Amino acid sequence: MTHEPASHLTLEPLFNPTSVAILGASENKGKIGYMQVKALLDGKFKGDIYPINPKSEMIEGLRCYSSLSEVSKQIDLAIFCVSANRVKSSLEECVRNKVKAAIIFASGFSEAGEEGIKEQQSICKIAKESGIRLIGPNCVGLVNTTNGLIGTFSAGLTNIPLNDQKSVGFVTQSGAFGVLTYIAAAQSGLSFNYFVSVGNEVETEFSDVIEYMIHDPKTSVISGYLEGEKNPGKLRQLAEQALTINKPIIILKTGRSSAGIRAAASHTGSLAGSDKIYDGFFKQTGIVRADDYEDIISFSKLFLTKKLPAGGNTVIVTSSGGRGINEADRCEAYGLKINPLKINVQEEIKRNIPPFASTSNPIDLTAAAAVSNPELYLEPLRVLVNDPDTDIIIFTEFPMRWKADDPLLKEFMDLCRNSSKFILITTFPLEGMSIPVSASELEKNGIPVIPGNLNPIRALAKLVEYSDKYRKAKQGTIQKVPEIKGEIELADLLLPGTKLSESQASDILNSYGIPTTTRAISTTEKEAIRYANEIGYPVVLKVDSPDILHKSEADAIRLNIKNELEVRNAFKEIIRNANNYNPNAEINGVSVQEMLPEGVEVIVGVTNDPVFGHVIMFGLGGIFVEIFQDISFRVAPLTKNDAFEMIEEIKSYKILKGARGKPLVDVDAIVDVLLKVSALVSDYGDYIDELDINPLIVYEKGIKAADAMLVVRDSVNQTTLVGG
Amino acid sequence: MTHEPASHLTLEPLFNPTSVAILGASENKGKIGYMQVKALLDGKFKGDIYPINPKSEMIEGLRCYSSLSEVSKQIDLAIFCVSANRVKSSLEECVRNKVKAAIIFASGFSEAGEEGIKEQQSICKIAKESGIRLIGPNCVGLVNTTNGLIGTFSAGLTNIPLNDQKSVGFVTQSGAFGVLTYIAAAQSGLSFNYFVSVGNEVETEFSDVIEYMIHDPKTSVISGYLEGEKNPGKLRQLAEQALTINKPIIILKTGRSSAGIRAAASHTGSLAGSDKIYDGFFKQTGIVRADDYEDIISFSKLFLTKKLPAGGNTVIVTSSGGRGINEADRCEAYGLKINPLKINVQEEIKRNIPPFASTSNPIDLTAAAAVSNPELYLEPLRVLVNDPDTDIIIFTEFPMRWKADDPLLKEFMDLCRNSSKFILITTFPLEGMSIPVSASELEKNGIPVIPGNLNPIRALAKLVEYSDKYRKAKQGTIQKVPEIKGEIELADLLLPGTKLSESQASDILNSYGIPTTTRAISTTEKEAIRYANEIGYPVVLKVDSPDILHKSEADAIRLNIKNELEVRNAFKEIIRNANNYNPNAEINGVSVQEMLPEGVEVIVGVTNDPVFGHVIMFGLGGIFVEIFQDISFRVAPLTKNDAFEMIEEIKSYKILKGARGKPLVDVDAIVDVLLKVSALVSDYGDYIDELDINPLIVYEKGIKAADAMLVVRDSVNQTTLVGG
């Protein structure tokens, strides 16, 4: 590779070019080559615009050039309004003329079969060798509303009225869905500063755009629509960086369902990791997961208030009992807490509101507030701003006719501004009846007004979670990945194609300090008896063979063996059954192990995900995993915080905490095993495909792996071998 | 009681009066007495209007009367625009003048403390004795849009443009939330035929209105907003009736959350059953549960197509890959199935669409369809109408500019009309850009067009469930409650205040044919040994005492006893521990029972719910109930179908079906026990407060109750005793 590593700085010519050339510019109003020129003019783009077309002299009053070389000035960005078959030659022309960046709309590449894939590969090669930054192909383009760079032909992105609130960046893997989200946001009073449709991501990828926006001072919130991330390692690092500087990343990741995964694969050609793993990855990195496009809009509006809720304790103020209850249901469904107010707080509020109004939570001011006495809305607020048990106050209605200079409105805003409470006004979504006249004044003062169709309560719950994660990051309670080293070099044991028996897998766990059962491999009955006597009864006997991973299925395991006679019989039966089960199996012998006392059985597993690489799974044993899918995932390597969170996340965590009168088990010991497994697969990632500790038995104090399985890769990643 | 039983017929004067008097009519435009007169005039009410006010002569051109008695004609309905303190005397005046029905807006009754409660009671008494039908007090009123009876002062219900689609009735326990829903529906092109705000339900209750609408030929869908049902028994019967005639009842029941339940209780003063029980009740009765107001609108629109989906197999047709995936996720989240299409179906579709379009499910026609070739939308439809594996076809976009006379639109509608497939068009919700110009033409042809903000896919999933329930009801597979009788009369055993030991509770189960363990009560060691020998080892010994319900806690139970010596020791220990645990306990002796072999442990329980009466619970034993709350409820009495459904509903049903290689257990035997328990609590409902069979052990063949607890009521319902 001859070019300098791509960085966010080299994306500047894409986002802030001083000059733009339009290849394939046209006078024909039906062609995108015309629409693109018009879009730049309508957008009042501040730089130079050079339409390129040998057949035209002028387009919309601009001089048209016959080729790039005819332009004497430096061209930062070329926008390709040409069809697929002309992309390659145009790109070569750009390189010759030292153009720094390009946007390619044309489709007909990797999404269109073999020919297209080849063509895309040559484009990729040109870009990598020349260092030119590319958006596309097969994309809708790039818009920077802060400088009028409307790099798109899409009508949806051009004739949309924008407002001043422009600090949310948006990057999308779907052009059409992205455009719809852009319009919906603009209609809700939120204009994105950047809109980037990455298309086939031939050069600039989803996470490159995120990187740019992290470094960009004009961006306060980074949002995106994602079908499949190509570089999760990079995205993880970026997310960590963004969290530290309190610049949230909110992503709508589709393909949750089996159908979605299928469709995503055929749509973008990118690999789609299991949705459960994406979920774990987002939790781990602090990326906010949007459930739908509304979350992007509402979350941004909430975040742009520059207040973070201190917690999830929410009080609802309503003038309709029914609406109050409905919103309370919604809050609790999304994880916000609606606790009853303390009696003294209730009494303070009661003093100045009608006697039939309710002061429990929701506070129901009754129709009196809505119809005749809007000043009632101030009463609970005056009290709640000083209530230490309240983090969030939600008004489910608001006086529609308070004008910007109304003294009551001013007092309302003063109370809100001087309070650390997070305050939200949400209204029932009706055409022409859901936005109070004072809405923009309120929003300027940090009080968002969001109608219910944008689901602000779901977004608020996400903001509470984000705030918590941000505070932890700030306080440093989200630690770095701990340094854990194995005792011995394992590369030779894990050579590609190697098969490991349970005992060998356990040895590897031991070398990373993971406690396993005391054990010894016997090859004769006599030896088995000797080991059993040394270990102490009761013992367990199991076949030890790299070819028999499912020992129960082979009937080659015997538990709770109490004496020499039983050892002798068990040994015979195990050898016989193992031979019957798989006559070709290589059998190391019979493993004699201590019989572990009862404890809580958990599972720690590792899979090698095509998107995320090594992913660690945790869950309780047996039916919890199988029936309830009560498991959690995190991408390796784990921090201590990751390990704790993945344990706390499962529902059956209650059992670990000591449900049904049983004592609390040693959660720290589970964390320890998770971190050691993480270290093992990080150190030997190129060698390990799967790992299963099942069961891992946890006690009030201590932990032991009762069984282990480790699958070595068939072949090792070439580049990594070269690098290492 | 002197009056005839209230029935839906006596509600006619409320819904279809020929003459209306307005008590407290006013010339003052700021008063509701004026607004009400105006509303009737604006609504073009077809009957006679009599404003009543001794101080006025004319109001809005109508002659004003000094009192009801001055009106010579029969008055069907009186609307009370008077304050709370004048309600009682006005009602008495109505009774004297043989007015048949009244609407009372005034608040200040049961919701406003003791005085109000008393006042409400006297109103209730007058109504019951006279037979006058009342809506309210503390309500927004009643609107019948089919005859212009706008019986309300609420501005929200008056100046709203209505359309012709008027066959959805709506009844609400919240005035304000009801009005918002009414407006939202009208704005979405759906006008309710009836709007009834029942307020404090002093006489006409929520279910009475539902009963009226069931009998009303103008109503096709019955919808409602509910906080707490006062007469679930009646609602259950009505729901059964409605299901038989395919008139769906869809109810938004709020108060799901703990906060909601708290608020609901203080808001309506009605008893709120646990939300899980409401859920079970709705499933049992076929009432569709709305998650929010949008479901009422969307479900009604879907149902009014007069097509019922044959199943949940859904195909998505899109022109945006991203939007297709997002909607596929949504479908699966709500339980619709997005299966890949069969290869031959895909190939047939492929023939006439561009090669880069995708024919898996979602079918992605790409931007080509959206931008230039709208005829592409017909291609998959032509094929799918004949695909036996497709029940539902969802278009996530639709050509915006097809006019009513466009031949392509005509063909599209012909294909839909001639097909049994359920077809839905849903669009991304953007202001002014989400409704195709042909929308009303499409809806006339039974193809609903619903923007995404009304959540049509969630409503569609509910319609699939409803359709299934309706078909079962039609085919008679939802059986009647079976006739099961106990062998002996139990009334004497269950006298109020009686306490039962496990053995006595088991005897009662036996008398209804529920299998329990073989057992005998021993009072001496010798007797215990004799019984143990008769029953056969191993046996279980337990204390038998009505005062010790938690035998493990008392350490007064011994399992797996294998011989006479062990019996002797166990007997001694149990008696000693029981005496230590509760020195005052009445001890019948030590119960010697067969030791049941291992099986799957389930729980069958009964609680006496303040709203629903006896409610039966089912779940798997131990942690399944405690950690995962994996339980189901149905209200007694159960049909066989109820019993099956409550078993299938729990997640751990997989275990019963034979997860992890274990065999299927005897589900029929569980159904049998559930039905027998249902019969027992139905026959002796006045005597039983709680019942627990825990564990009930199920085998591959057969079932046995291993333990039982029955709590008798402290006092028996007086009226029932008198009646019985």
Side-chain angles (χ1 to χ4, degrees):
Chain A
M1 313 264 176
T2 56
H3 69 287
E4 290 294 296
S7 92
H8 62 278
L9 291 174
T10 60
L11 283 174
E12 271 305 323
L14 259 172
F15 284 87
N16 288 298
T18 55
S19 53
V20 176
I22 295 117
L23 307 186
S26 171
E27 289 173 83
N28 181 338
K29 295 194 175 179
K31 297 217 162 173
I32 64 166
Y34 171 81
M35 297 176 206
Q36 178 57 76
V37 175
K38 189 77 169 50
L40 285 170
L41 290 170
D42 289 349
K44 302 190 171 48
F45 173 61
K46 291 177 183 70
D48 300 324
I49 307 174
Y50 302 105
I52 312 287
N53 188 336
K55 292 180 204 143
S56 294
E57 305 231 321
M58 294 284 278
I59 295 174
E60 283 286 313
L62 293 173
R63 180 188 156 189
C64 196
Y65 296 76
S66 62
S67 70
L68 281 175
S69 52
E70 207 195 332
V71 179
S72 55
K73 286 210 195 155
Q74 161 71 41
I75 293 168
D76 283 347
L77 170 65
I79 303 180
F80 285 39
C81 300
V82 300
S83 55
N85 58 353
R86 287 179 52 208
V87 165
K88 193 177 157 189
S89 57
S90 300
L91 189 59
E92 286 165 341
E93 193 188 344
C94 285
V95 172
R96 280 195 303 275
N97 287 279
K98 310 228 180 302
V99 172
K100 295 177 186 161
I103 297 171
I104 306 173
F105 300 136
S107 53
F109 292 88
S110 66
E111 78 283 7
E114 268 183 51
E115 275 300 305
I117 292 173
K118 264 197 199 156
E119 198 66 14
Q120 182 163 318
Q121 281 164 345
S122 16
I123 290 170
C124 182
K125 192 158 173 275
I126 296 169
K128 295 275 177 198
E129 287 176 0
S130 66
I132 191 169
R133 299 302 309 253
L134 291 189
I135 291 285
N138 190 23
C139 77
V140 174
L142 182 152
V143 170
N144 178 350
T145 60
T146 68
N147 68 357
L149 174 70
I150 315 298
T152 183
F153 58 91
S154 167
L157 296 171
T158 50
N159 301 306
I160 297 298
L162 301 174
N163 72 9
D164 298 337
Q165 209 175 27
K166 285 178 194 154
S167 60
V168 178
F170 180 69
V171 48
T172 178
Q173 283 187 336
S174 164
F177 195 82
V179 170
L180 293 170
T181 303
Y182 180 90
I183 302 171
Q187 289 188 341
S188 312
L190 183 84
S191 301
F192 294 141
N193 56 358
Y194 310 131
F195 170 96
V196 187
S197 158
V198 289
N200 290 3
E201 302 179 77
V202 66
E203 188 275 324
T204 300
E205 295 179 358
F206 188 84
S207 55
D208 295 329
V209 178
I210 291 196
E211 184 178 20
Y212 178 82
M213 295 195 280
I214 287 175
H215 290 91
D216 174 54
K218 283 187 200 154
T219 304
S220 304
V221 177
I222 300 167
S223 66
Y225 168 92
L226 178 69
E227 290 178 359
E229 172 56 38
K230 290 186 166 174
N231 198 342
K234 177 169 182 174
L235 187 54
R236 183 175 174 178
Q237 281 180 342
L238 292 173
E240 207 167 275
Q241 216 176 322
L243 192 61
T244 321
I245 59 171
N246 193 19
K247 193 181 274 197
I249 301 176
I250 174 162
I251 292 179
L252 172 57
K253 160 72 179 71
T254 57
R256 280 178 184 265
S257 57
S258 55
I261 289 169
R262 206 168 60 233
S266 74
H267 182 56
T268 67
S270 60
L271 289 159
S274 134
D275 193 72
K276 268 233 158 205
I277 300 179
Y278 266 103
D279 245 357
F281 175 73
F282 284 173
K283 281 182 191 149
Q284 183 171 21
T285 54
I287 293 176
V288 180
R289 182 164 195 171
D291 290 333
D292 213 329
Y293 77 96
E294 307 99 274
D295 290 345
I296 291 178
I297 300 171
S298 290
F299 181 91
S300 298
K301 284 187 161 235
L302 297 174
F303 184 80
L304 293 177
T305 62
K306 301 203 172 82
K307 270 187 191 176
L308 292 182
N313 292 320
T314 304
V315 178
I316 289 178
V317 182
T318 187
S319 61
S320 152
R323 193 159 147 68
I325 299 166
N326 203 33
E327 297 303 289
D329 283 0
R330 203 187 311 273
C331 284
E332 290 209 355
Y334 292 127
L336 299 175
K337 284 187 216 92
I338 305 282
N339 297 324
L341 290 168
K342 287 229 176 81
I343 294 300
N344 63 327
V345 176
Q346 292 200 39
E347 284 182 351
E348 218 181 319
I349 296 172
K350 264 200 183 101
R351 252 180 250 157
N352 296 305
I353 62 173
F356 45 89
S358 161
T359 53
S360 68
N361 187 7
I363 297 172
D364 181 3
L365 300 170
T366 76
V371 177
S372 46
N373 301 317
E375 67 274 18
L376 283 175
Y377 282 96
L378 292 168
E379 297 299 342
L381 187 59
R382 284 191 189 113
V383 179
L384 291 172
V385 290
N386 298 315
D387 175 28
D389 297 333
T390 298
D391 303 318
I392 297 167
I393 307 165
I394 298 177
F395 290 84
T396 67
E397 300 83 20
F398 199 73
M400 297 301 281
R401 276 165 287 186
W402 274 358
K403 297 227 176 76
D405 58 355
D406 192 302
L408 290 171
L409 179 71
K410 278 191 188 297
E411 192 186 340
F412 184 90
M413 293 192 301
D414 284 344
L415 282 166
C416 295
R417 218 180 16 242
N418 297 327
S419 162
S420 62
K421 309 300 178 195
F422 196 94
I423 292 153
L424 163 69
I425 298 170
T426 176
T427 56
F428 192 96
L430 293 176
E431 265 169 51
M433 298 161 78
S434 62
I435 310 289
V437 295
S438 57
S440 69
E441 195 64 23
L442 286 160
E443 296 212 326
K444 263 181 235 155
N445 282 275
I447 307 148
V449 183
I450 311 181
N453 57 313
L454 290 174
N455 225 326
I457 290 180
R458 187 170 68 192
L460 182 57
K462 291 178 193 292
L463 184 63
V464 169
E465 253 183 73
Y466 168 80
S467 304
D468 187 51
K469 191 91 181 176
Y470 165 66
R471 275 187 294 264
K472 275 188 192 163
K474 208 175 151 199
Q475 290 158 9
T477 43
I478 299 177
Q479 295 91 339
K480 297 274 163 227
V481 173
E483 295 238 3
I484 300 171
K485 282 287 150 213
E487 286 168 14
I488 50 167
E489 175 56 40
L490 299 175
D492 285 352
L493 295 172
L494 296 169
L495 283 182
T498 308
K499 286 179 175 180
L500 300 179
S501 71
E502 178 198 328
S503 182
Q504 291 164 323
S506 297
D507 289 345
I508 287 171
L509 295 181
N510 279 155
S511 80
Y512 271 78
I514 297 168
T516 59
T517 53
T518 309
R519 67 189 173 278
I521 307 291
S522 60
T523 51
T524 62
E525 287 172 32
K526 218 173 134 186
E527 216 177 358
I529 289 169
R530 179 156 60 82
Y531 292 146
N533 288 333
E534 280 171 25
I535 290 167
Y537 294 96
V539 291
V540 175
L541 265 65
K542 304 173 182 172
V543 69
D544 193 66
S545 162
D547 301 313
I548 302 177
L549 295 179
H550 302 289
K551 296 177 281 280
S552 298
E553 201 179 283
D555 195 15
I557 175 166
R558 290 288 179 276
L559 305 175
N560 203 22
I561 288 171
K562 296 197 186 105
N563 52 48
E564 294 192 6
L565 178 66
E566 286 183 19
V567 172
R568 199 181 298 276
N569 292 335
F571 187 97
K572 276 189 211 132
E573 284 168 26
I574 286 171
I575 293 291
R576 189 184 59 225
N577 292 350
N579 280 324
N580 286 342
Y581 179 74
N582 180 356
N584 301 318
E586 180 193 321
I587 293 174
N588 301 330
V590 172
S591 177
V592 183
Q593 304 184 11
E594 64 177 317
M595 170 89 184
L596 293 177
E598 222 185 293
V600 177
E601 298 192 0
V602 302
I603 302 178
V604 168
V606 176
T607 64
N608 193 4
D609 183 79
V611 172
F612 290 98
H614 286 97
V615 172
I616 299 176
M617 188 209 84
F618 173 73
L620 258 70
I623 38 179
F624 296 97
V625 172
E626 291 174 31
I627 305 275
F628 293 98
Q629 272 104 49
D630 188 25
I631 48 179
S632 58
F633 288 102
R634 291 294 184 274
V635 177
L638 302 181
T639 66
K640 203 168 178 181
N641 187 63
D642 291 337
F644 266 117
E645 283 185 357
M646 69 191 291
I647 297 168
E648 285 170 357
E649 185 181 313
I650 63 169
K651 280 192 194 155
S652 34
Y653 178 56
K654 283 185 198 167
I655 293 174
L656 302 178
K657 281 200 305 182
R660 315 192 80 208
K662 282 189 188 170
L664 189 76
V665 300
D666 194 341
V667 172
D668 289 336
I670 308 176
V671 169
D672 188 61
V673 170
L674 285 167
L675 292 174
K676 284 169 174 169
V677 165
S678 164
L680 167 62
V681 297
S682 300
D683 292 348
Y684 296 97
D686 291 331
Y687 302 85
I688 296 172
D689 239 12
E690 283 180 60
L691 172 64
D692 238 353
I693 308 181
N694 179 17
L696 174 68
I697 304 184
V698 205
Y699 302 101
E700 234 182 294
K701 194 77 208 144
I703 198 161
K704 262 188 188 177
D707 204 335
M709 188 188 80
L710 197 157
V711 179
V712 178
R713 281 204 191 175
D714 277 343
S715 63
V716 168
N717 189 320
Q718 280 304 321
T719 47
T720 319
L721 273 187
V722 170
Chain B
M1 313 261 175
T2 55
H3 70 290
E4 288 297 296
S7 92
H8 61 280
L9 292 173
T10 60
L11 284 174
E12 272 305 325
L14 260 171
F15 286 85
N16 288 299
T18 54
S19 53
V20 177
I22 296 121
L23 307 186
S26 171
E27 289 174 83
N28 181 338
K29 295 194 177 180
K31 296 218 163 173
I32 64 168
Y34 171 82
M35 297 175 206
Q36 178 56 75
V37 174
K38 189 77 168 49
L40 285 171
L41 290 170
D42 289 350
K44 301 190 173 46
F45 172 60
K46 289 178 185 69
D48 301 322
I49 307 174
Y50 301 106
I52 311 286
N53 188 335
K55 292 180 206 145
S56 293
E57 304 232 319
M58 294 282 280
I59 296 173
E60 283 284 315
L62 293 174
R63 179 188 156 188
C64 197
Y65 295 77
S66 62
S67 70
L68 281 176
S69 51
E70 206 195 333
V71 180
S72 54
K73 286 211 194 156
Q74 161 72 40
I75 293 168
D76 282 348
L77 171 65
I79 304 180
F80 286 38
C81 299
V82 300
S83 55
N85 59 354
R86 284 181 50 208
V87 164
K88 191 177 159 189
S89 58
S90 300
L91 189 60
E92 286 165 339
E93 193 188 343
C94 286
V95 172
R96 279 196 303 274
N97 286 280
K98 309 226 179 306
V99 173
K100 294 177 186 161
I103 298 172
I104 305 173
F105 301 136
S107 53
F109 292 89
S110 66
E111 77 284 5
E114 268 182 52
E115 274 300 304
I117 292 173
K118 264 198 198 156
E119 198 67 14
Q120 182 164 319
Q121 282 164 344
S122 19
I123 290 170
C124 183
K125 191 158 172 276
I126 296 170
K128 296 276 178 198
E129 287 178 358
S130 67
I132 192 170
R133 300 302 309 252
L134 292 189
I135 291 285
N138 191 23
C139 78
V140 174
L142 181 151
V143 170
N144 178 350
T145 59
T146 68
N147 68 358
L149 174 71
I150 315 297
T152 182
F153 57 93
S154 167
L157 297 171
T158 48
N159 300 306
I160 297 300
L162 301 174
N163 71 9
D164 297 338
Q165 209 176 26
K166 285 178 193 153
S167 60
V168 178
F170 180 68
V171 48
T172 179
Q173 283 187 336
S174 163
F177 195 82
V179 170
L180 293 170
T181 304
Y182 179 90
I183 302 171
Q187 288 187 343
S188 312
L190 183 83
S191 300
F192 293 141
N193 57 357
Y194 309 131
F195 170 95
V196 186
S197 159
V198 289
N200 290 3
E201 303 179 77
V202 67
E203 189 274 326
T204 301
E205 295 179 0
F206 189 84
S207 55
D208 295 329
V209 178
I210 291 196
E211 184 178 19
Y212 178 82
M213 295 196 279
I214 286 176
H215 289 91
D216 173 54
K218 284 187 199 155
T219 304
S220 304
V221 177
I222 299 167
S223 66
Y225 169 91
L226 178 69
E227 291 178 357
E229 172 56 38
K230 291 188 168 174
N231 197 342
K234 177 168 182 175
L235 187 54
R236 182 174 175 179
Q237 281 181 340
L238 292 173
E240 206 166 278
Q241 214 176 325
L243 193 61
T244 321
I245 58 170
N246 193 20
K247 193 180 273 197
I249 301 175
I250 175 164
I251 292 179
L252 172 58
K253 159 73 179 71
T254 57
R256 282 178 183 266
S257 58
S258 55
I261 289 169
R262 205 168 58 235
S266 74
H267 183 56
T268 66
S270 59
L271 288 161
S274 136
D275 194 70
K276 268 233 157 204
I277 299 179
Y278 267 103
D279 246 358
F281 176 72
F282 284 173
K283 283 181 190 148
Q284 182 171 21
T285 53
I287 293 175
V288 180
R289 182 164 193 171
D291 290 334
D292 213 330
Y293 77 95
E294 306 100 275
D295 290 344
I296 290 178
I297 300 171
S298 289
F299 182 91
S300 298
K301 283 186 162 237
L302 297 173
F303 184 81
L304 292 177
T305 62
K306 301 206 172 80
K307 271 186 191 178
L308 292 181
N313 292 319
T314 304
V315 178
I316 290 177
V317 182
T318 186
S319 61
S320 152
R323 191 159 147 70
I325 299 167
N326 203 32
E327 296 303 290
D329 284 359
R330 203 188 311 275
C331 284
E332 290 209 354
Y334 292 128
L336 299 175
K337 285 185 218 92
I338 306 284
N339 297 324
L341 290 168
K342 288 229 175 81
I343 294 300
N344 62 327
V345 176
Q346 292 199 41
E347 284 181 349
E348 216 181 321
I349 296 172
K350 264 200 182 99
R351 255 181 248 159
N352 296 306
I353 63 172
F356 45 87
S358 161
T359 54
S360 69
N361 186 8
I363 296 173
D364 181 3
L365 300 169
T366 78
V371 176
S372 46
N373 301 316
E375 66 274 18
L376 284 175
Y377 282 97
L378 291 168
E379 298 298 342
L381 187 59
R382 284 191 189 111
V383 178
L384 290 173
V385 290
N386 298 314
D387 175 26
D389 297 333
T390 297
D391 303 318
I392 296 167
I393 307 166
I394 298 177
F395 289 84
T396 66
E397 300 84 20
F398 199 74
M400 296 301 280
R401 276 165 288 185
W402 275 357
K403 296 228 176 75
D405 58 354
D406 192 301
L408 290 171
L409 179 72
K410 276 192 189 300
E411 192 186 340
F412 184 91
M413 292 191 303
D414 283 345
L415 281 166
C416 294
R417 217 181 16 243
N418 297 326
S419 161
S420 62
K421 309 299 177 197
F422 195 95
I423 292 154
L424 162 70
I425 298 170
T426 174
T427 57
F428 192 95
L430 293 175
E431 263 169 53
M433 298 162 77
S434 63
I435 310 289
V437 295
S438 57
S440 69
E441 194 65 22
L442 286 159
E443 297 212 324
K444 263 181 233 154
N445 281 273
I447 307 150
V449 183
I450 311 182
N453 58 312
L454 290 175
N455 226 326
I457 290 180
R458 187 170 68 192
L460 182 57
K462 290 178 193 292
L463 184 63
V464 169
E465 252 183 74
Y466 168 80
S467 305
D468 187 51
K469 190 92 181 176
Y470 164 65
R471 275 187 294 265
K472 274 188 192 161
K474 208 175 148 196
Q475 290 158 11
T477 43
I478 299 177
Q479 296 92 339
K480 297 274 164 229
V481 173
E483 295 239 1
I484 300 170
K485 282 286 149 217
E487 286 168 14
I488 50 166
E489 175 55 40
L490 299 175
D492 285 351
L493 295 171
L494 297 169
L495 283 182
T498 309
K499 287 179 177 180
L500 299 180
S501 72
E502 178 199 327
S503 182
Q504 291 163 323
S506 297
D507 289 343
I508 286 170
L509 296 181
N510 279 155
S511 80
Y512 271 77
I514 297 167
T516 59
T517 53
T518 309
R519 67 190 173 279
I521 308 291
S522 60
T523 51
T524 63
E525 287 171 33
K526 217 173 134 186
E527 214 178 0
I529 289 168
R530 179 156 61 81
Y531 291 146
N533 288 333
E534 279 171 25
I535 291 167
Y537 294 95
V539 292
V540 175
L541 265 66
K542 304 173 182 171
V543 69
D544 194 67
S545 162
D547 301 312
I548 302 177
L549 295 179
H550 303 288
K551 297 178 281 280
S552 297
E553 201 180 282
D555 195 14
I557 176 166
R558 291 290 178 274
L559 305 175
N560 202 21
I561 288 171
K562 294 198 187 99
N563 52 48
E564 294 190 7
L565 180 65
E566 286 183 17
V567 172
R568 198 182 299 275
N569 291 336
F571 187 96
K572 273 190 214 136
E573 285 168 25
I574 286 171
I575 292 291
R576 189 183 58 225
N577 292 351
N579 281 325
N580 284 344
Y581 179 73
N582 180 354
N584 301 318
E586 179 193 322
I587 293 175
N588 302 331
V590 172
S591 177
V592 183
Q593 304 183 12
E594 64 177 318
M595 169 91 184
L596 293 176
E598 222 185 291
V600 177
E601 297 192 359
V602 301
I603 302 178
V604 169
V606 177
T607 65
N608 192 5
D609 183 79
V611 172
F612 290 99
H614 286 98
V615 172
I616 299 177
M617 188 209 83
F618 173 73
L620 258 71
I623 39 180
F624 295 97
V625 171
E626 292 174 31
I627 304 278
F628 293 99
Q629 273 103 49
D630 188 24
I631 47 178
S632 58
F633 287 102
R634 292 293 185 273
V635 177
L638 303 181
T639 66
K640 203 167 177 181
N641 188 63
D642 291 337
F644 266 116
E645 283 185 357
M646 70 190 291
I647 298 168
E648 285 170 0
E649 184 181 314
I650 63 169
K651 281 190 192 156
S652 35
Y653 177 56
K654 283 185 197 165
I655 293 173
L656 302 179
K657 280 200 306 183
R660 316 191 78 208
K662 283 191 187 168
L664 187 77
V665 301
D666 194 341
V667 172
D668 288 337
I670 308 176
V671 169
D672 189 58
V673 170
L674 285 168
L675 292 175
K676 284 169 175 167
V677 165
S678 165
L680 167 62
V681 297
S682 300
D683 291 348
Y684 295 97
D686 291 330
Y687 301 87
I688 297 172
D689 239 11
E690 282 180 59
L691 173 64
D692 238 354
I693 309 181
N694 180 18
L696 173 68
I697 303 184
V698 205
Y699 302 101
E700 238 183 292
K701 193 78 208 144
I703 198 161
K704 262 189 189 177
D707 205 336
M709 188 188 82
L710 196 158
V711 179
V712 178
R713 282 204 188 175
D714 278 342
S715 63
V716 167
N717 188 320
Q718 281 305 321
T719 47
T720 318
L721 272 186
V722 171

